[in-house]
Amino acid sequence: MIPYSTQLIDDDDINAVVKVLKGSYLTQGSKVDEFEKALCVYTGARYAVTFNSATSALMAAYDIAGIGKGDEIITTPISFVATSNMAVVLGATPIFCDIKLDGNIDERMIEKLITKQTKAIVPVHFGGKPVSLNKIQEIAAKHRLLIIEDASHALGSELDGKKIGSISDMTIFSFHAIKPITTGEGGAVLTNNEEYANKLRLYRSHGIVKKNFWNMDMVSMGYNFRLTDFAAALGLSQMTKLDKFIDQRNTIAEYYDKRFQGHKLFQIIKIPENEGSARHLYPITLIPSLQCPKEDIFSRLHEKGVGVQVHYKPIHQNSFYIEKYGEQRLTVAEDFYRSELSLPCNQKMTLDDAKYVADTFLEILEEYNLRGCTF
Ligand SMILES: *Cc1c(COP(=O)(O)O)cnc(C)c1O
């Protein structure tokens, strides 16, 4: 099976991890610092604070920003549930904003969702394609809201020459196995705000500061959300290859773009000139008349070794959210979910793999089309 996304681990990565395993510090050593520095250098952000997942990083970011009981965040339903779950955990309410045809939050619909309770806008760079941050910044400035980006798909993405991670109040990355780089599990918050960085470090590790000798002082509430040193060593090693990974994913994506341009049965999502995408996903959307047999297309592709996936079931359509907040209608997001397929696009693939995926996908669609695909 050619997976929609997957890690690429080589001997350098393995050796970097083994070296830490044979050393003195499995955790709380120097590798975490080194990895954080590498994230800052790469993105241009002033501070990076790593976590043991993007989920814990999101929780920390929301909490230290003061998002809690009675507050609202405006976010997208087309994301992994963790984006809004971590706000719910803190007692805040996620207000879901509908999306655009590229899967990203529709910035034109944000302003009318703002209330006195709104604290932050939380956009997600779907598949790695940057959201319209310029417009979101205008709205946030006008209403004094924070911008906390869930950039779990977007390490290496850029907008107008600036790397994602360097722009907003806080930006969260994920290093889960299949994200743009991996530490197995892991995440980070990037920020230019020193106070946030200090609070995040405390939050990650029991709220404890070291005084002298044995004396430590717990000054604020905290957790153990730390990344291990061997995971950080893997991250550090992966960082040296991030641009190569993205180049390869771009090669695959551009090949697809050429093959699929103007196809009558589905649409591709083009990345404009002023944007760079980490290409975590290669999403396409089927035309409405092809939407009903998506399960068939999905299983036919899997049978042929093409590991497509669907991103995402809109968060508000999960039972937990329906029970807590009632039924909501977000028509573009729901249509997107019905029509979206993520085709394999990962750094392990060769152009031959991409050709196989494209040939197989087109062949199956043509076959459905001949049979009359509204059945
Ligand atoms: C993967 C992902 C997360 C969660 O990341 P973990 O590191 O697995 O906790 C959150 N948001 C989005 C958009 C993701 O894709």
Side-chain angles (χ1 to χ4, degrees):
M1 183 84 79
I2 305 173
Y4 72 91
S5 178
T6 190
Q7 74 276 14
L8 176 54
I9 303 290
D10 66 12
D11 288 342
D12 292 347
D13 296 319
I14 292 165
N15 293 337
V17 173
V18 169
K19 213 169 145 196
V20 173
L21 290 175
K22 287 180 173 170
S24 306
Y25 292 98
L26 296 188
T27 187
Q28 295 177 285
S30 60
K31 282 294 163 197
V32 168
D33 267 358
E34 284 180 50
F35 180 37
E36 289 173 349
K37 286 210 178 78
L39 288 167
C40 288
V41 168
Y42 183 85
T43 58
R46 224 169 279 159
Y47 308 97
V49 183
T50 53
F51 283 82
N52 55 9
S53 72
T55 304
S56 54
L58 280 162
M59 180 177 167
Y62 294 158
D63 208 356
I64 67 110
I67 295 167
K69 223 172 163 134
D71 295 332
E72 293 173 359
I73 63 161
I74 296 173
T75 188
T76 167
I78 297 297
S79 182
F80 184 60
V81 289
T83 314
S84 56
N85 279 358
M86 290 304 102
V88 176
V89 149
L90 295 168
T93 305
I95 304 296
F96 294 109
C97 179
D98 214 342
I99 62 158
K100 298 185 292 189
L101 297 177
D102 64 357
N104 278 336
I105 193 165
D106 189 341
E107 65 281 355
R108 294 162 303 184
M109 303 184 75
I110 292 175
E111 209 161 9
K112 68 171 196 289
L113 298 174
I114 295 173
T115 69
K116 281 206 171 66
Q117 282 71 48
T118 310
K119 281 278 161 65
I121 303 170
V122 183
V124 174
H125 308 285
F126 180 76
K129 183 180 190 294
V131 298
S132 301
L133 268 179
N134 298 333
K135 285 172 199 136
I136 294 173
Q137 279 168 333
E138 275 172 35
I139 299 165
K142 186 170 155 200
H143 297 272
R144 295 168 180 265
L145 302 175
L146 294 171
I147 301 176
I148 301 175
E149 296 170 41
D150 182 345
S152 292
H153 301 181
L155 180 61
S157 294
E158 51 185 68
L159 185 60
D160 301 322
K162 275 196 209 149
K163 281 272 186 326
I164 296 300
S166 65
I167 303 168
S168 296
D169 296 291
M170 286 186 267
T171 301
I172 287 89
F173 292 114
S174 171
F175 312 124
H176 174 273
I178 60 158
K179 298 293 163 72
I181 65 156
T182 187
T183 60
E185 299 279 5
V189 183
L190 274 68
T191 181
N192 294 320
N193 182 317
E194 190 177 3
E195 193 189 327
Y196 285 163
N198 291 337
K199 284 185 174 169
L200 288 164
R201 287 206 181 89
L202 283 172
Y203 198 91
R204 167 176 72 179
S205 197
H206 310 289
I208 287 176
V209 286
K210 281 189 181 140
K211 295 268 172 166
N212 51 16
F213 300 105
W214 55 84
N215 189 12
M216 305 199 216
D217 193 22
M218 188 204 135
V219 297
S220 57
M221 188 42 72
Y223 296 81
N224 178 355
F225 284 165
R226 295 185 303 256
L227 192 66
T228 64
D229 270 52
F230 49 97
L234 177 55
L236 198 54
S237 177
Q238 289 264 299
M239 277 305 284
T240 64
K241 290 161 236 172
L242 173 56
D243 283 338
K244 261 199 297 189
F245 290 173
I246 294 174
D247 281 350
Q248 187 57 20
R249 294 194 293 257
N250 262 316
T251 303
I252 306 292
E254 280 158 19
Y255 172 80
Y256 287 156
D257 278 356
K258 267 197 220 112
R259 287 286 305 269
F260 299 157
Q261 182 78 46
H263 200 281
K264 59 189 184 305
L265 300 179
F266 65 97
Q267 260 134 23
I268 58 172
I269 298 170
K270 278 285 223 180
I271 307 296
E273 281 294 319
N274 68 323
E275 297 177 10
S277 172
R279 299 285 195 183
H280 168 55
L281 302 175
Y282 187 89
I284 63 96
T285 51
L286 301 166
I287 59 162
S289 55
L290 261 173
Q291 284 173 9
C292 37
K294 196 162 86 166
E295 286 81 357
D296 295 359
I297 296 170
F298 184 95
S299 39
R300 288 284 306 282
L301 284 165
H302 276 232
E303 274 162 28
K304 298 205 165 202
V306 176
V308 291
Q309 185 52 282
V310 173
H311 297 92
Y312 287 94
K313 175 171 176 170
I315 297 176
H316 66 279
Q317 293 192 314
N318 285 280
S319 343
F320 173 88
Y321 281 86
I322 295 172
E323 273 165 39
K324 199 166 169 67
Y325 304 107
E327 299 268 359
Q328 301 177 55
R329 278 284 76 80
L330 293 153
T331 51
V332 185
E334 288 162 27
D335 286 346
F336 189 82
Y337 173 54
R338 271 190 287 274
S339 63
E340 197 268 355
L341 275 176
S342 301
L343 298 187
C345 181
N346 66 65
Q347 61 272 18
K348 258 188 196 161
M349 289 172 68
T350 62
L351 267 180
D352 279 346
D353 294 329
K355 184 172 183 303
Y356 174 76
V357 169
D359 288 346
T360 310
F361 182 56
L362 292 175
E363 189 186 298
I364 287 171
L365 284 190
E366 293 299 344
E367 198 182 300
Y368 274 112
N369 197 38
L370 278 179
R371 281 165 51 191
C373 58
T374 42
F375 55 126

